[in-house]
Amino acid sequence: MDLYTKAKTLGIQTEYIDGSGHLRVTTPEALTVILDALPPSAPRRIVADPVVIRTGRAASTALSEAAQLPVRWTIMHGATRLAQGEAHERSVVWPTGLPEGVHRLQFSDALGANEEVPVLVAPEKAFGGEFDRCWVIAAQLYGVRSARNWGIGDFTDLQHLLEFAHSVGADGIGLNPLHALFDDRPGDCSPYSPNSRQFLNALYVDVEQIPEYRIDAETQGALARLRTHDMVDYVGVAALKWPALRAAFAAFKANPGLGRWQDFEAYRSEHGALLSRFAAFETMRHTFNLPWWEWPDEWRQPNDAACARLRRARETATEVEFVEFVQWTADRQLAACQALAHKLGMRVGLYLDVAVGVQSDGFDAWNEQVAISRHLGVGAPPDPLNTAGQDWGLAGFNAAGLEQRAFVPFKQMLRAAMRHAGAIRLDHAFGLKRLYLVPRGFGPANGAYVLMPFEALLAATAQESVASRCVVIGEDLGTVPEGFREQMNGWGIWSYLVMMFERDDHGAFRNADHYLPDALVAFNTHDLSTYAGWRSFSDLKTKRALGIDPGETDQGRWDALGELDAVLGHHDIHKNDLYSVVGFMARTKSRILVVAMEDLLGLVDQPNIPGTVYEHPNWKRRLPVSLAQLGSAIDIEALKRATRERSRG
């Protein structure tokens, strides 16, 4: 079997049309690396894919021509047999009433071939929310200013943001990922390049809210300088916050407050082996100071017995417990934010983001080496906005590994994101259907699309969404695979509609009645220009100054401004300021409207410019005003008028 034939049998698309209409073919050298990086999996001859059964719907699965009838099948959950039967035709009709979950489906045919695939029994749809239409404010938590924070926004600031949002009629706050980063690399601050999607970024902890902590005069003096910066000094913040967390932990160990130790133990018990492994990984990462694949053999794979020994060893027990203490603290402070939102009657509360992948040297890649390959980077092929293509430097899931792991890593990731959220956004949701993977050492134009078990991942998403009562929004911007949105929406996962891109083939902005109901609508994203920057051409100028093709000419922007005036005028809106655009979006049927804090404050610079690392201060800009000044810096009355038809009450 030649290289390209083998790739096809494994769901690797070696040819594709890029966003500019050009045919791209993956080179043999790059394809070899991709094939070697995926876990071995034998081709199936009875059923090709995982089986999905939706509660309340008749379900059947076609058997392949290679299967020799009759085919016997058994559905198992652990050691429990849930159902069994025998198929004498090339289709199996599945019984109704099976319990929801991920089970094992065992097949054997007349020739003695034995196969096993996961079977997912799922709700008919994801959780749909208990509201008609609402709106939320999107903010970069790190950039929030307050008189009390440590030079970076924190979970106490988030509570105040929620109170502000409530006061202007919004139903929540949208945030970039809160995933755990690397405590010893604070300058690597992108929330989309996490150490782990299972745990939280400890720099968002408000240390002074930890009951056992007492701030000292030296720390107080250093904070004054951090609070004056226009950019978040991540290195400076970490240099103060981590020692403070250690001091809080030491005080907690010496004298935990009433009920605090019991709550800590409850958190550890709830998170079980996953938390134990994370704490062990962080301890070993600091010990060896090398990527995990260069660690001693004992630690190159997760080993619960080794983790238990690490917890008991005198020289490491305290460090392991400290990692757990920090995560418990972060979890409880974030939980308090969502609890406040519920108390205020906010219909969404926290709307959180889930990164598309993880750093290859981080916890998730170590913990899930079958489901995640460190040798392949997730990215995107060339398109008009990024003509060279993109390699985000992130490791993502692979189909064979997820199936072998019964989708546990994917479900755990969703559960962690939904734990304290009323809605989540799956970044680059196309990754549920296919991922564009770039082999390490090759340019982003030389990747390949690798198919994912789309229906099974949608079913797993619906399971977790209903269990957590959390709305799921799929970020479906870019080159859309045929039928993708229809299938995603059919499972109750909402679309992500960015007004900046909602234009027809002639460049005209689409009317308000074009927008889908089960969708989130926003003018822009953190990766795109702010409204003020868009109107002033600042984004085009900035990209050109950085040597990046902006994918748009000045004349194209002038035309777009004219088209915006036209669509607003068509809806009897005769201004083109931000509040006019918000008022237009508020009229759409889309159930969640997002308004960015940067736009409300009239900021020109966008939080992130894709394709840059050090050339632009990505993920660092702080808001120009403090939380206490938001009410006077924003035209509150104009905002309330623009959003009145979807505000509470």
Side-chain angles (χ1 to χ4, degrees):
M1 186 185 300
D2 71 49
L3 202 62
Y4 287 86
T5 304
K6 181 181 179 183
K8 186 176 181 181
T9 65
L10 295 175
I12 300 173
Q13 298 176 333
T14 56
E15 296 183 3
Y16 63 91
I17 304 296
D18 69 19
S20 301
H22 301 125
L23 175 67
R24 302 271 182 172
V25 181
T26 311
T27 66
E29 295 79 10
L31 188 55
T32 299
V33 175
I34 293 172
L35 287 169
D36 289 345
L38 297 175
S41 57
R44 297 193 183 111
R45 41 174 296 174
I46 299 176
V47 169
D49 300 308
V51 169
V52 171
I53 300 171
R54 296 170 81 167
T55 303
R57 292 192 183 190
S60 62
T61 298
L63 303 177
S64 73
E65 291 298 321
Q68 295 297 305
L69 301 175
V71 170
R72 291 174 297 282
W73 57 266
T74 305
I75 298 176
M76 301 290 295
H77 189 84
T80 303
R81 183 187 295 114
L82 300 178
Q84 62 182 348
E86 188 169 283
H88 295 269
E89 299 178 0
R90 297 210 173 273
S91 179
V92 180
V93 177
W94 301 113
T96 58
L98 291 168
E100 290 184 3
V102 183
H103 315 301
R104 290 178 295 119
L105 178 55
Q106 299 168 341
F107 288 107
S108 61
D109 73 356
L111 289 181
N114 294 294
E115 290 179 7
E116 184 173 293
V117 297
V119 55
L120 293 92
V121 183
E124 186 179 12
K125 286 193 171 188
F127 178 66
E130 294 177 331
F131 54 87
D132 177 20
R133 294 185 307 154
C134 66
W135 71 284
V136 302
I137 297 173
Q140 320 296 325
L141 184 54
Y142 60 82
V144 175
R145 283 184 191 262
S146 66
R148 43 144 299 281
N149 76 31
W150 287 27
I152 186 171
D154 59 29
F155 291 134
T156 297
D157 290 329
L158 180 53
Q159 291 202 27
H160 296 319
L161 271 178
L162 285 163
E163 289 169 344
F164 172 78
H166 176 264
S167 73
V168 296
D171 271 295
I173 291 289
L175 300 170
N176 284 334
L178 302 177
H179 306 321
L181 303 182
F182 295 87
D183 61 341
D184 51 351
R185 290 163 16 204
D188 295 345
C189 58
S190 170
Y192 291 92
S193 298
N195 175 352
S196 173
R197 292 179 288 192
Q198 305 286 352
F199 296 99
L200 294 168
N201 183 348
L203 288 187
Y204 290 134
V205 168
D206 177 1
V207 184
E208 294 181 75
Q209 283 294 309
I210 301 174
E212 297 82 13
Y213 179 68
R214 298 293 179 268
I215 193 167
D216 57 57
E218 185 179 352
T219 302
Q220 283 278 29
L223 287 177
R225 178 181 56 82
L226 288 175
R227 288 171 178 148
T228 63
H229 289 179
D230 290 332
M231 304 288 171
V232 177
D233 177 1
Y234 285 97
V235 174
V237 170
L240 289 183
K241 192 162 278 194
W242 281 106
L245 285 166
R246 289 187 180 277
F249 173 63
F252 169 76
K253 285 279 286 181
N255 186 23
L258 185 65
R260 296 256 297 150
W261 185 264
Q262 291 90 331
D263 189 50
F264 180 42
E265 287 292 349
Y267 172 79
R268 292 205 287 187
S269 175
E270 182 183 355
H271 285 76
L274 193 66
L275 176 64
S276 179
R277 286 184 177 189
F278 179 68
F281 175 83
E282 287 296 277
T283 302
M284 290 297 93
R285 197 170 61 78
H286 293 142
T287 300
F288 299 127
N289 200 27
L290 291 167
W292 54 261
W293 51 88
E294 295 179 18
W295 291 357
D297 288 346
E298 178 189 21
W299 285 104
R300 289 189 188 179
Q301 297 278 343
N303 182 315
D304 290 335
C307 290
R309 287 197 301 273
L310 204 69
R311 177 186 294 283
R312 293 192 300 267
R314 181 185 305 171
E315 61 273 20
T316 51
T318 299
E319 190 63 24
V320 169
E321 201 168 63
F322 170 67
V323 176
E324 295 172 334
F325 168 83
V326 169
Q327 285 303 315
W328 167 60
T329 302
D331 178 83
R332 295 307 192 242
Q333 289 193 3
L334 184 61
C337 295
Q338 185 68 346
L340 172 64
H342 288 156
K343 181 180 177 182
L344 294 172
M346 302 175 91
R347 294 174 287 182
V348 174
L350 298 181
Y351 158 51
L352 303 181
D353 214 346
V354 182
V356 70
V358 295
Q359 290 283 1
S360 60
D361 62 343
F363 170 72
D364 288 4
W366 172 78
N367 191 50
E368 293 294 349
Q369 294 174 43
V370 173
I372 297 174
S373 172
R374 67 180 177 87
H375 298 288
L376 301 175
V378 179
D383 62 29
L385 285 179
N386 294 279
T387 53
Q390 299 176 71
D391 179 355
W392 301 320
L394 302 172
F397 289 128
N398 67 75
L402 282 176
E403 291 181 27
Q404 289 174 29
R405 292 278 289 115
F407 299 95
V408 167
F410 180 74
K411 286 166 66 67
Q412 284 180 332
M413 178 196 76
L414 291 177
R415 204 171 302 149
M418 295 174 177
R419 181 173 168 86
H420 303 305
I424 65 166
R425 187 190 85 136
L426 298 179
D427 189 37
H428 191 67
F430 300 138
L432 299 175
K433 186 176 179 71
R434 64 181 190 181
L435 276 174
Y436 186 76
L437 298 179
V438 181
R440 298 287 185 234
F442 290 82
N446 215 346
Y449 279 111
V450 180
L451 297 181
M452 298 291 283
F454 188 29
E455 191 81 359
L457 291 174
L458 292 174
T461 302
Q463 288 175 341
E464 295 302 326
S465 168
V466 168
S468 296
R469 299 181 63 76
C470 183
V471 171
V472 180
I473 295 136
E475 188 262 291
D476 49 0
L477 304 176
T479 306
V480 184
E482 186 176 353
F484 175 87
R485 283 199 177 112
E486 292 78 7
Q487 198 169 352
M488 186 176 76
N489 298 157
W491 274 94
I493 297 173
W494 297 10
S495 282
Y496 186 73
L497 303 178
V498 174
M499 184 181 170
M500 194 181 280
F501 297 145
E502 290 300 316
R503 299 166 68 183
D504 66 19
D505 293 340
H506 304 290
F509 282 90
R510 300 188 189 277
N511 289 323
D513 58 6
H514 160 81
Y515 289 77
L516 297 170
D518 284 347
L520 177 148
V521 61
F523 180 76
N524 49 18
T525 77
H526 54 254
D527 287 338
L528 298 171
S529 175
T530 64
Y531 187 66
W534 186 75
R535 290 207 68 89
S536 65
F537 295 56
S538 174
D539 58 320
L540 304 183
K541 296 170 189 171
T542 299
K543 283 190 173 182
R544 288 173 190 144
L546 294 171
I548 299 172
D549 179 359
E552 184 178 4
T553 64
D554 284 1
Q555 185 56 52
R557 179 60 56 83
W558 283 116
D559 293 343
L561 292 171
E563 294 291 356
L564 178 65
D565 287 348
V567 76
L568 294 175
H570 179 76
H571 290 79
D572 203 28
I573 301 171
H574 301 295
K575 291 183 178 180
N576 55 25
D577 61 358
L578 171 73
Y579 301 104
S580 299
V581 174
V582 171
F584 168 83
M585 292 190 294
R587 297 184 189 183
T588 68
K589 298 187 291 287
S590 297
R591 291 175 59 196
I592 297 180
L593 161 66
V594 170
V595 184
M597 183 66 78
E598 290 85 3
D599 288 336
L600 291 173
L601 293 172
L603 305 186
V604 169
D605 293 309
Q606 64 199 66
N608 179 56
I609 295 181
T612 65
V613 179
Y614 303 112
E615 304 92 329
H616 186 262
N618 296 328
W619 314 117
K620 292 180 180 176
R621 280 198 172 87
R622 302 180 70 203
L623 294 179
V625 300
S626 71
L627 274 168
Q629 297 167 317
L630 288 179
S632 56
I634 295 169
D635 189 339
I636 300 296
E637 291 309 311
L639 178 59
K640 287 183 174 180
R641 284 196 300 272
T643 56
R644 64 180 177 272
E645 63 181 276
R646 52 171 73 216
S647 290
R648 282 169 294 97

